[in-house]
Amino acid sequence: MSLADRIEQLKAGGQAAIAAATSTAALDQVRIQFLGRRAELPNLLRGVAQLAPEQRGAVGKAANEARRQLEQAIEQKLEQLAAAELQQRLEQDKLDITLPADPLPALGRLHLITRTRREIEDVFVGLGFKVVEGPEVERVYYNFDALNVAPTHPSRLTTDTFYVEPATDLFDPQTQLLRVHTSPMQIRAMESQPPPIFLIVPGRVYRPDSDATHTPQFHQIEGLAIDEDITLADLKGTLETFARAIFGPEREIRLRPHFFPFTEPSVEVDVSCFNCCGGITADGERCPLCKGTAWIEILGAGMVDPNVLHHVKHNGYSPEQVQGFAFGIGIERIAMLKHGVPDLRLLYDNDVRFLEQFA
Ligand code: PHE
């Protein structure tokens, strides 16, 4: 067989093998077989120099051409096979990223403080109170002055209040501080709307304390009710409804005389202990929750002091015409009492083993 015929034969064989290849892997074998380093056609090309001079041109050209055609055929076929294989892989690994994860991720839950806040809000919304919020960075005027807090009151000291620097004059009504209670919103709310007013103010408050029962930041819910015929009996009925909604329908409340600069009279409110009977637990022990007293302090309240109303008299709050009550509830305190949380700081450690107990 002449070299030219052999080249033709190799080319035809290669083309047939390329056509027959059904995968990129098989095609790669064909490439090695016909164009690899030990394959016949490339060898032939390498040997052209040893041929007789009159043969070199024709054989070299034919072999080169055969190699080029095979290379081209392989390239084309590779493209085809690769595309088909990709298509097949895509069909097999169909992944719908809109499907829910398997297994479903665990649902989160509301933080106990959020949950307690909402529970309390629900009670008062049910009684007709509106929920409003106010600024955490507050002015001396709203936090102290307008609430009838005397200039000498110790809560104004830097040991009891965070002032916003530069706080050059702690008695300047414009000096800024982090509110120590939600009560400043009593004034702001009365400035912004005439009576009657029935609202609650949930929010963060700040005091420089830190121990098992105090954190520098905590939460309160302020309550304010002003109308023409509001009495201490309304306050008591409102707070009794609150206490029963949160701590159980059997609860009683009692008001003890107390002092707040912005209410007169002022009271501290206790709820009957829900952990014992008369201070003694079911197994005859002194109740650790109420310390055997049968009562637990839950909040501070009182009738809004006329001196407070005086600051918003111009907006319809003349103490001769309207009066009302206010109260301040510590959200953490309610949550801790209700769920037996022994240390306030647990609420802020963000340990899920603690947090996930409150579904
Ligand atoms: N602002 C008071 C406190 O933080 C609570 C309070 C609010 C008392 C309204 C009476 C009336 O302790």
Side-chain angles (χ1 to χ4, degrees):
M1 188 190 292
S2 73
L3 271 178
D5 288 346
R6 181 61 187 150
I7 290 168
E8 264 313 304
Q9 210 176 36
L10 285 171
K11 187 171 89 176
Q15 279 166 338
I18 291 166
T22 54
S23 69
T24 52
L27 187 65
D28 206 43
Q29 288 308 309
V30 173
R31 190 185 54 74
I32 290 166
Q33 190 190 337
F34 288 89
L35 299 174
R37 266 191 318 124
R38 286 197 291 266
E40 197 177 337
L41 190 59
N43 255 331
L44 225 144
L45 268 163
R46 278 192 290 275
V48 164
Q50 274 94 62
L51 294 175
E54 64 276 16
Q55 263 194 316
R56 279 182 208 161
V59 170
K61 196 171 164 216
N64 239 329
E65 182 61 17
R67 186 181 62 175
R68 203 187 55 74
Q69 283 184 21
L70 287 182
E71 276 171 356
Q72 208 174 16
I74 286 173
E75 210 173 302
Q76 266 174 25
K77 181 79 178 192
L78 182 67
E79 243 173 67
Q80 257 177 42
L81 288 173
E85 282 169 17
L86 175 64
Q87 186 59 31
Q88 200 186 358
R89 268 207 312 280
L90 286 176
E91 268 161 32
Q92 276 168 0
D93 315 340
K94 224 177 247 169
L95 173 66
D96 184 348
I97 58 164
T98 67
L99 284 175
D102 180 24
L104 281 172
L107 275 185
R109 58 196 71 204
L110 294 175
H111 192 282
L112 182 58
I113 293 175
T114 306
R115 209 183 106 181
T116 307
R117 169 175 60 73
R118 291 191 181 181
E119 242 175 86
I120 299 171
E121 285 172 3
D122 282 351
V123 177
F124 287 104
V125 166
L127 289 172
F129 287 73
K130 243 180 61 179
V131 183
V132 300
E133 289 182 47
E136 293 168 26
V137 177
E138 193 42 286
R139 295 186 187 284
V140 162
Y141 175 73
Y142 291 106
N143 194 82
F144 293 127
D145 300 341
L147 288 169
N148 199 39
V149 178
T152 52
H153 196 282
S155 69
R156 292 187 183 240
L157 296 173
T158 53
T159 47
D160 285 46
T161 295
F162 290 112
Y163 286 88
V164 176
E165 290 187 348
T168 40
D169 180 0
L170 302 192
F171 298 103
D172 179 345
Q174 296 304 316
T175 292
Q176 288 189 309
L177 44 71
L178 300 187
R179 65 180 178 187
V180 306
H181 49 184
T182 41
S183 303
M185 265 310 280
Q186 289 186 28
I187 308 298
R188 287 183 178 276
M190 288 190 283
E191 278 181 350
S192 73
Q193 68 168 96
I197 191 168
F198 293 86
L199 52 82
I200 56 167
V201 187
R204 294 184 191 89
V205 299
Y206 302 84
R207 293 178 197 177
D209 294 324
S210 195
D211 59 39
T213 52
H214 299 86
T215 45
Q217 179 225 266
F218 59 105
H219 297 77
Q220 289 188 332
I221 294 190
E222 191 79 8
L224 178 69
I226 308 273
D227 203 346
E228 284 178 8
D229 301 301
I230 305 265
T231 70
L232 192 69
D234 297 312
L235 172 62
K236 187 170 185 197
T238 302
L239 294 179
E240 188 178 86
T241 303
F242 158 72
R244 289 180 180 173
I246 299 294
F247 294 111
E250 310 289 294
R251 301 279 72 76
E252 297 293 341
I253 62 164
R254 72 175 184 188
L255 311 187
R256 281 181 289 106
H258 194 70
F259 173 79
F260 295 106
F262 31 90
T263 46
E264 182 60 36
S266 300
V267 294
E268 268 185 343
V269 181
D270 298 339
V271 65
S272 57
C273 185
F274 44 87
N275 189 50
C276 66
C277 190
I280 308 295
T281 61
D283 13 287
E285 301 291 322
R286 188 182 88 134
C287 176
L289 190 61
C290 65
K291 311 217 159 40
T293 65
W295 293 97
I296 304 169
E297 182 196 325
I298 51 169
L299 59 94
M303 299 307 288
V304 175
D305 194 301
N307 290 343
V308 171
L309 294 179
H310 191 76
H311 288 276
V312 284
K313 206 165 53 181
H314 56 273
N315 202 22
Y317 292 91
S318 160
E320 278 76 48
Q321 273 146 37
V322 294
Q323 63 286 136
F325 62 76
F327 56 83
I329 303 172
I331 300 181
E332 281 84 350
R333 179 166 178 80
I334 301 297
M336 288 171 76
L337 285 172
K338 184 163 171 169
H339 299 279
V341 178
D343 189 322
L344 174 59
R345 291 166 294 199
L346 285 167
L347 294 170
Y348 294 106
D349 286 344
N350 281 345
D351 184 333
V352 284
R353 291 169 302 179
F354 169 78
L355 296 174
E356 69 189 1
Q357 295 173 71
F358 310 102

